[in-house]
Amino acid sequence: MARKMLRDGQQEEYDFDLFVIGAGSGGVRASRTSAGFGAKVAICELPFHPISSEVVGGVGGTCVIRGCVPKKILVYGSAFRGEFEDARNFGWELDEDIKFNWKKLLHNKTQEIQRLNGIYKRLLTNSSVTMIEGEGKVAGPHEVEVTQLDGSIQKYTAKNILIATGSRAQRVKMPGEELAITSDEALSLEDLPKHAVILGGGYIAVEFASIWRGMGVTVDLFYRKELPLRGFDDEMRAVVTKNLEGRGIKLHPQSTLTELSKTDEGIKVVTDHGDELIADVVLFATGRAPNTKRLNLEAAGVETDRTGAIKVDEYSRTNVPSIWAVGDVTNRMNLTPVALMEGTCFSKTVFGGEPTKPDYKDIPCAVFCIPPLSVVGLSEQQALEQATSDVLIFTSSFTPMKNTISGRQEKTVMKLIVDSATDRVIGASMCGPDAPEIMQGIAVAMKCGATKKQFDSTVGIHPSAAEEFVTMRTSTRRLTVESKI
């Protein structure tokens, strides 16, 4: 039954209170929470496939199908190589001929994302959300057009439209670019490569370098800057770099690729320094772009920026009052938990009678290289830039207990950044085993406004790496406000 709404004093009927385009993390969360507030909700999504395109996608979106979840499964799989090496000094006498079956892992990974795809569908159904399979486009301020699998077009009206179509991996423009793959394909390769070349210095590049190296692949990683992971704390970037090299990844800083070509031996890669390599696989991990090209946003006059991201206000509302957007399609902070937060805030604002702005302060994140890096709050560089008083830096670098026996030459590094005027902890970072698990707890403390004194008064768990965060008594250095001039 159509819903009746008042518009300009006139009664107007809509098919739904809310129509969501895109059933990824943000879209599913917004749909379910909006339905929980009593809204009549529909959501549309492309058919399921592990590798996305303009005509396939799947309920669950990038994170579940071709992002965080399958990547973490591969990280787990690749980490065993190091575990086997470390086990010998703990008394385990392993057969030297340990084999890795990529196809088995790939099969199990695909089964898991299919299972999760089904769970997400059931979550929507159990929340009384109407699911529609097909490609959704904006047809007006209150109208959505869905092209279904058979090519037929259905039109639906809604008081509110939410766009949550995420982002898509991008390719670098160069001769032979079609020979490269993106992270989508990398998660579903039929055969494990012997030699991989990766272009990029961000999350995805570093993570895939670790994954493939852990599986025995020769890896060359090219990136433009002196260190990978631009935007993270410089000291922690250097730690990650050392660890990547220590694990056998060949790093090529301040370098890029200029041309790819097919040869009998594989893909010939030419660099901007004139070097040539032959690889089985070339991965472009150079960023993602908002998925807006086929949304027909101009039909309603929805504004986008130069990257194609949908412009929204603090409440995720576009310049068209009835159209909203959350998640990567807005290019604010592109993390799955952030899309979940934005979806929840949207529902509270529109249907819960509780206008709520997403809070982007002190959001933790992790890079699942091996060992992982995790951070929350400000980096040392950001803290100094924003400082109105001196900044205290506390660091700890130590050999984890496990490594003292295994002989692995990797240090765990931890860091706390403190505002000297308030004693508040304004930044924390860690590179080492279990860093993301530890940092989640640190994030709670920081969200509550914890001070360094409160950290110091907390009793540690012994023996653990985490206890270092509450035993760093003496500052490593003091950054003065004057030093940023």
Side-chain angles (χ1 to χ4, degrees), residues 48-50 59 64-65 107-122:
F48 172 86
H49 195 279
V59 175
V64 170
I65 300 171
H107 171 76
N108 290 339
K109 180 272 298 183
T110 301
Q111 281 198 319
E112 175 60 10
I113 63 174
Q114 288 173 337
R115 184 185 74 86
L116 292 173
N117 173 252
I119 287 175
Y120 269 66
K121 287 181 177 179
R122 288 194 294 276

Side-chain angles (χ1 to χ4, degrees), residues 297-320:
L297 297 175
E298 60 275 9
V302 176
E303 293 180 356
T304 59
D305 66 16
R306 59 180 182 81
T307 69
I310 296 175
K311 294 181 179 180
V312 293
D313 65 13
E314 292 179 297
Y315 294 94
S316 299
R317 195 175 209 157
T318 73
N319 62 300
V320 179

Side-chain angles (χ1 to χ4, degrees), residues 52 61-63 66-68 165-171 182-185 187 203-204 208 284-291 307-309 328-329 331 334:
S52 68
T62 296
C63 178
R66 62 194 71 85
C68 325
T165 49
S167 61
R168 294 183 63 185
Q170 296 300 291
R171 295 177 180 273
T182 68
S183 55
D184 278 15
E185 294 87 2
L187 289 164
Y203 280 80
I204 295 172
F208 269 101
F284 284 169
T286 51
R288 301 176 65 87
N291 195 14
T307 69
D328 287 12
V329 77
N331 199 29
N334 299 336

